Amino acid sequence: MKFIIQIRDIALRELQILRKNNLYAFCMVVFPLLTGLFFTSLLSDGVPLDLPIGVVDLDNSSTSRSLVRRLDAFQNSRVVAHYPSVTAARIAIQENEIYAFLYIPDGMAEKLLAGRQPKISYYYSMASLVAGSMVMKDLKTITTLGSAGVGQATMQAKGYTPEQIQTALQPVRIDTHQIGNPEGSYNVYLSTALVPGIMILFMMLISTYSLGMELKFDTGKELLAKADGNIVVAIIGKFLIHFIVFLMVVLLFQYYIYGVLGFPSMGSVWNILLLCLLQVAGSLGFGIFVFGLMPSLRMSMSICSLWAVLSISIAGSTFPVMGMDAPIQALSWLFPLRHYFMIYEVTVFNGFSLINAWFHLVALVGFALLPWFVVAKIKNAMLTYVYIP
């Protein structure tokens, strides 16, 4: 009972600290929520639309103009300019005016009708991986459709039936089924990893900042006095309010993406709730652990910033971890976001049982328990360390 009263008193003390310093309100509530709104609004269309491309049409025939109109009708691409030469179009790509251009040589229609296989070229920039890949897909499709259109007209003139024409032009029909994300929305698979990653960043930074401020203002002895020297009680009481506030913010984001935006989810509400609890507990635990290793406000915050930013790249949401080098794959287990993302993929996105992600579940619990290994060092820092700016 005594421990509960001490935890309550320390939590109330921490609440007063949070109320007096507006930085906590911005970093714990305002910025995480704005981050969620920013990314989900930025990707609200699901995929990039109307990416600018150019055309170099030296043939200027009805066939070439038809190809250009079909290309402009694609959802992802928009023809914004016609260029007199390849050199002019290349300069436009280098100046970031367009992402790609289609080159139609002189005499293309004449050679196509004569069956002499004219060459149609397209050039695209991969400086932006997403934009380059999407316009390349449209350009490849339109060049294939051009030859197919001529072939269809020729076969119709020879008296082939529609079934025969379809079989000749497309001998194998592809029936695509995108499981989990049927619309191929970038918002679904990016926002569900980027936003939690940035929230984890704020949790790590606030946990180290909060402990560092105790050293800076020499209030660590007061904190320990309220816990009768028990550093475990002091840590629990100090971060109880942090845990509650961050948990509410994370749950609000989950409600927003699933309840308001309608992101696909095959898992139960309980799986989402458990994942949120582990996300907050693991992130705060990791931040406290880093401060215990290096009881310095500046150094601990720098390490947490580096760790959280790296975790966004190594989590596996944009580039699969299994495709990385073996040392990087091994290193990925040291990042809380990696385990969060794997549990999300297995239990929430695909709807499998928690037993299929048990190792990642244990890993996040382990991150939450990391402070136990450094509590003695944190206590020593509160009692003896002198703050150095």
Side-chain angles (χ1 to χ4, degrees):
M1 187 66 182
K2 178 182 178 182
F3 291 154
I4 297 177
I5 295 175
Q6 290 174 342
I7 290 174
R8 182 202 63 186
D9 293 340
I10 296 173
L12 292 175
R13 170 184 177 272
E14 188 66 19
L15 184 60
Q16 292 299 320
I17 295 175
L18 265 60
R19 291 178 58 186
K20 292 178 182 178
N21 191 342
N22 292 330
L23 181 64
Y24 286 105
F26 279 99
C27 292
M28 296 174 71
V29 180
V30 178
F31 290 152
L33 292 179
L34 286 179
T35 299
L37 289 173
F38 171 76
F39 278 104
T40 52
S41 301
L42 180 67
L43 302 169
S44 59
D45 291 329
V47 295
L49 303 176
D50 293 334
L51 297 172
I53 61 175
V55 173
V56 179
D57 185 5
L58 301 183
D59 188 53
N60 197 27
S61 62
S62 60
T63 302
S64 65
R65 290 193 296 270
S66 176
L67 284 178
V68 174
R69 286 195 299 269
R70 291 184 182 182
L71 178 61
D72 192 38
F74 284 174
Q75 185 180 28
N76 299 326
S77 303
R78 179 166 59 93
V79 178
V80 296
H82 287 72
Y83 299 97
S85 65
V86 172
T87 300
R90 176 181 56 81
I91 294 174
I93 288 183
Q94 293 173 335
E95 293 179 349
N96 291 322
E97 296 177 0
I98 56 177
Y99 288 110
F101 67 89
L102 177 67
Y103 171 59
I104 303 175
D106 187 19
M108 182 272 297
E110 181 182 349
K111 293 180 181 179
L112 193 62
L113 293 174
R116 288 184 289 178
Q117 294 184 336
K119 291 183 179 180
I120 300 177
S121 306
Y122 53 86
Y123 301 82
Y124 57 96
S125 171
M126 290 300 287
S128 175
L129 183 62
V130 173
S133 300
M134 299 193 75
V135 296
M136 183 273 290
K137 181 181 67 174
D138 286 354
L139 289 168
K140 185 177 181 180
T141 301
I142 199 63
T143 52
T144 304
L145 289 177
S147 60
V150 174
Q152 182 181 18
T154 303
M155 295 178 75
Q156 285 177 344
K158 292 181 179 180
Y160 285 85
T161 64
E163 292 77 11
Q164 291 174 321
I165 295 174
Q166 181 67 28
T167 303
L169 295 179
Q170 190 179 16
V172 178
R173 177 178 296 177
I174 300 175
D175 191 10
T176 304
H177 299 273
Q178 300 185 89
I179 300 175
N181 187 9
E183 297 178 353
S185 173
Y186 282 69
N187 203 5
V188 169
Y189 85 85
L190 284 180
S191 296
T192 51
L194 289 176
V195 177
I198 295 175
M199 288 184 175
I200 288 175
L201 168 64
F202 282 118
M203 294 176 203
M204 291 181 180
L205 290 178
I206 286 297
S207 58
T208 54
Y209 174 80
S210 181
L211 289 171
M213 295 302 285
E214 298 284 358
L215 291 184
K216 181 177 181 178
F217 294 108
D218 196 23
T219 56
K221 299 180 180 66
E222 174 192 336
L223 174 64
L224 287 172
K226 285 185 173 292
D228 287 340
N230 191 329
I231 186 62
V232 176
V233 172
I235 293 294
I236 294 175
K238 182 172 181 62
F239 288 98
L240 180 62
I241 299 298
H242 294 240
F243 179 83
I244 294 174
V245 173
F246 275 123
L247 182 61
M248 292 176 62
V249 171
V250 170
L251 289 175
L252 182 60
F253 173 72
Q254 298 295 330
Y255 172 77
Y256 172 65
I257 61 175
Y258 295 119
V260 178
L261 299 183
F263 279 24
S265 171
M266 300 292 291
S268 67
V269 176
W270 297 110
N271 286 343
I272 297 176
L273 178 59
L274 176 62
L275 182 58
C276 293
L277 289 169
L278 292 174
Q279 175 191 3
V280 177
S283 303
L284 292 178
F286 185 85
I288 298 170
F289 173 74
V290 171
F291 182 84
L293 290 179
M294 293 186 177
S296 166
L297 176 62
R298 179 174 54 190
M299 287 300 298
S300 58
M301 291 188 69
S302 298
I303 292 174
C304 285
S305 299
L306 175 63
W307 212 255
V309 171
L310 284 177
S311 68
I312 295 176
S313 300
I314 209 170
S317 61
T318 55
F319 189 88
V321 173
M322 64 185 68
M324 301 178 184
D325 293 337
I328 305 298
Q329 293 186 37
L331 188 64
S332 67
W333 295 96
L334 302 179
F335 295 85
L337 181 60
R338 168 61 178 169
H339 302 287
Y340 168 90
F341 180 71
M342 289 303 297
I343 296 175
Y344 161 76
E345 283 282 298
V346 173
T347 64
V348 179
F349 192 73
N350 291 307
F352 292 108
S353 171
L354 278 171
I355 195 64
N356 293 282
W358 70 270
F359 190 87
H360 301 284
L361 187 71
V362 172
L364 280 183
V365 173
F367 280 115
L369 297 178
L370 280 177
W372 288 98
F373 297 99
V374 294
V375 288
K377 194 170 182 180
I378 294 177
K379 181 178 180 179
N380 182 59
M382 295 295 176
L383 294 175
T384 61
Y385 276 31
V386 177
Y387 177 75
I388 300 176

